[in-house]
Amino acid sequence: MRKLLVFCLDALCTIDLEYMKTLPNFKLAFEKGSMVKHVEPVYPTLTYPCHCSILTGKTVKNHGIIHNEIVDVENPRAPWYSLRSQIKGETLMDIAKFNGYTTCSLTWPVSGGADIDYNMPMIVPIDYQGDDPYQFYVNYSTQELLDRYYWKYEHYLKGEDKNLDEFTMHLALDIIEDYHQPDVMLVKMCDLDTVKHCEGINNDEVKKQLRKHDRQFGQILEAVKRFGDYENTNFVILGDHGQQNIKRHINFNLLLKENGFIQTDENNHLIDWQAYCHSASMSGWIQLKDPKDENLRQKVHDFLMKIKKDPQYNIGYVFTKEEADEKFGLASEKIDFVIEGDEPMTFDSTLSGKDLFEEYLKPGWHHSLASHGYLPFRDETTAFLAFGKNVKEGVVIERGSMLNEAATMATMLGLKMEDTEGIQWQELIK
């Protein structure tokens, strides 16, 4: 039976490929496989929407996961998306299981409670610092995995030195050995994204992290050779989005507040609002409180176009909700306009800051040195590499859409995904 193993590196950029070619395990993809060099993600280029698009072949308006976080003006600390039931439509994993393949998903976002044989989702809240992460896994993970492995590796989820990638890797190696390599495996690694956020996109720390991921991938390859079916496995290395170095920053809600669209009390707590900016990191979403008020819509549109003409604000793009839907499949009741910087820029939704252009290079600051959420066609893009039983050697597609990945991986398994917005990269398949 054909098999598929996906090794996902969060924030893998096209610019990483040249260095990856020199590493002992990643280089197999370049020597024995094929690739799509520039993969344009969906908009916004945020982790959770992109992971859902990878598995569904759909834009965010059609799979329903528009952001990492549930967007809510009244609750700026709303929870992140986490449950498979929040995704609309079928995923690659659903189709694989329906067709008799055993499935395994490790640390994949928005997979809690999914009908997957061996499932350990990304489910612990991003800011959780306590010592009981088990409470978040129970009822949403495969209980057999929790019973068998959690006690061995829970220390990787606790304390100052916690490391989700180490937890994921230990699970992956044990599952390949103990269950003789499930037919379809998703293994998602996070640390490359973290390093780039903190250090920027192209430096020695990034190379160090790529070397670590190369060693991890080598361990997976060896585990499959020892305990699985290496000869019939298709290996895929992919990213969910790229990252860009941040050049500017704006606290856009302060600008809306200064211009009368937001009202706060003396403690900067929200009292009322007519237009509000949600941060998608390197893009901003403007939501109207009353989207049926055409006078308000025109007033906000005129304001945004005025701001766009003023170079001090660095606004390079303004899209109406209709344009965002038509161009990018980005649609939600939370979005009436989308704005983005001319130079790479982050947007903040704070109401309490005093500086409209807060210093973005501040050590330890949450946006740090690089981020994502920007337009899909802007550098840096991500990439898709594959090698194995059903993948041709030496094919390089210069540019393509993330929406094609689900159908392509299904084809590697001898399956079809009918309900996608993408098409398979047939030229990669034997």
Side-chain angles (χ1 to χ4, degrees), residues 84-299:
R84 165 63 183 89
S85 60
Q86 294 169 308
I87 303 173
K88 295 186 289 187
E90 287 189 314
T91 71
L92 174 64
M93 302 300 272
D94 298 329
I95 291 169
K97 181 155 187 180
F98 178 80
N99 284 276
Y101 289 83
T102 56
T103 52
C104 174
S105 177
L106 302 178
T107 316
W108 200 271
V110 204
S111 62
D115 185 15
I116 292 172
D117 295 300
Y118 311 108
N119 187 25
M120 194 69 73
M122 179 177 274
I123 197 80
V124 179
I126 197 76
D127 57 353
Y128 180 71
Q129 299 296 324
D131 283 330
D132 184 24
Y134 183 89
Q135 64 180 302
F136 303 106
Y137 286 103
V138 70
N139 297 325
Y140 299 110
S141 309
T142 304
Q143 189 62 43
E144 183 178 339
L145 297 187
L146 289 173
D147 293 342
R148 191 165 189 170
Y149 302 121
Y150 188 83
W151 65 275
K152 292 173 66 176
Y153 304 126
E154 63 179 321
H155 58 283
Y156 291 117
L157 301 173
K158 299 179 179 181
E160 295 180 358
D161 298 325
K162 65 182 179 180
N163 188 303
L164 183 57
D165 279 4
E166 290 295 331
F167 180 74
T168 304
M169 273 301 300
H170 280 83
L171 288 178
L173 298 177
D174 279 6
I175 288 169
I176 291 170
E177 178 175 1
D178 296 340
Y179 295 96
H180 306 291
Q181 187 196 353
D183 300 322
V184 183
M185 283 192 72
L186 308 176
V187 182
K188 183 263 197 306
M189 312 303 287
C190 303
D191 285 350
L192 184 62
D193 182 67
T194 301
V195 169
K196 289 182 177 182
H197 276 302
C198 295
E199 305 291 341
I201 66 171
N202 189 12
N203 51 64
D204 288 343
E205 290 301 312
V206 170
K207 290 181 173 63
K208 179 180 177 181
Q209 185 59 47
L210 286 170
R211 292 194 298 272
K212 182 176 181 180
H213 285 321
D214 180 74
R215 291 192 295 271
Q216 292 164 332
F217 186 61
Q219 288 181 290
I220 287 175
L221 292 175
E222 185 62 29
V224 172
K225 289 176 182 176
R226 288 172 179 253
F227 307 111
D229 187 358
Y230 185 86
E231 296 304 318
N232 287 306
T233 299
N234 299 290
F235 295 94
V236 171
I237 303 165
L238 56 76
D240 55 344
H241 53 71
Q243 281 205 32
Q244 289 186 311
N245 288 333
I246 299 167
K247 297 184 182 297
R248 302 278 297 276
H249 175 72
I250 189 168
N251 293 326
F252 205 82
N253 274 338
L254 297 186
L255 190 59
L256 291 174
K257 181 178 173 182
E258 288 174 5
N259 287 271
F261 294 106
I262 292 175
Q263 295 80 45
T264 64
D265 63 20
E266 64 275 11
N267 296 314
N268 294 311
H269 296 145
L270 185 66
I271 295 175
D272 200 5
W273 59 283
Q274 291 73 53
Y276 187 96
C277 180
H278 302 286
S279 172
S281 195
M282 295 185 83
S283 57
W285 301 351
I286 309 300
Q287 180 182 354
L288 303 180
K289 185 173 184 178
D290 183 2
K292 295 180 181 179
D293 185 340
E294 292 302 324
N295 289 330
L296 175 62
R297 183 177 299 278
Q298 188 62 51
K299 182 179 180 181

Side-chain angles (χ1 to χ4, degrees), residues 286-288 291 297 319-321 333-338:
I286 309 300
Q287 180 182 354
L288 303 180
R297 183 177 299 278
F319 302 106
T320 65
K321 67 176 183 178
E333 62 183 9
K334 310 291 186 178
I335 300 171
D336 290 284
F337 300 96
V338 177

Side-chain angles (χ1 to χ4, degrees), residues 33-36 390-400 404 408 411-412 423-430:
S34 294
M35 71 174 172
V36 183
N390 304 105
V391 180
K392 291 180 181 177
E393 294 185 16
V395 176
V396 178
I397 298 173
E398 189 65 23
R399 202 170 195 95
N404 298 344
T408 301
T411 303
M412 293 178 190
I423 58 173
Q424 60 180 309
W425 286 309
Q426 184 60 49
E427 53 267 58
L428 301 182
I429 308 298
K430 288 181 181 177

Side-chain angles (χ1 to χ4, degrees), residues 2-66:
R2 300 181 182 191
K3 291 180 179 283
L4 174 70
L5 196 152
V6 178
F7 193 63
C8 177
L9 301 181
D10 200 317
L12 173 67
C13 290
T14 301
I15 58 169
D16 297 323
L17 298 181
E18 285 302 313
Y19 186 65
M20 290 172 69
K21 288 179 183 178
T22 70
L23 301 177
N25 300 298
F26 285 149
K27 73 177 182 181
L28 293 174
F30 299 91
E31 295 174 351
K32 298 181 179 296
S34 294
M35 71 174 172
V36 183
K37 189 174 180 182
H38 294 272
V39 173
E40 293 188 2
V42 292
Y43 199 34
T45 53
L46 297 177
T47 298
Y48 285 32
C50 288
H51 275 76
C52 293
S53 293
I54 289 168
L55 294 189
T56 64
K58 296 178 181 179
T59 50
V60 301
K61 74 171 181 180
N62 287 321
H63 64 56
I65 308 301
I66 62 170

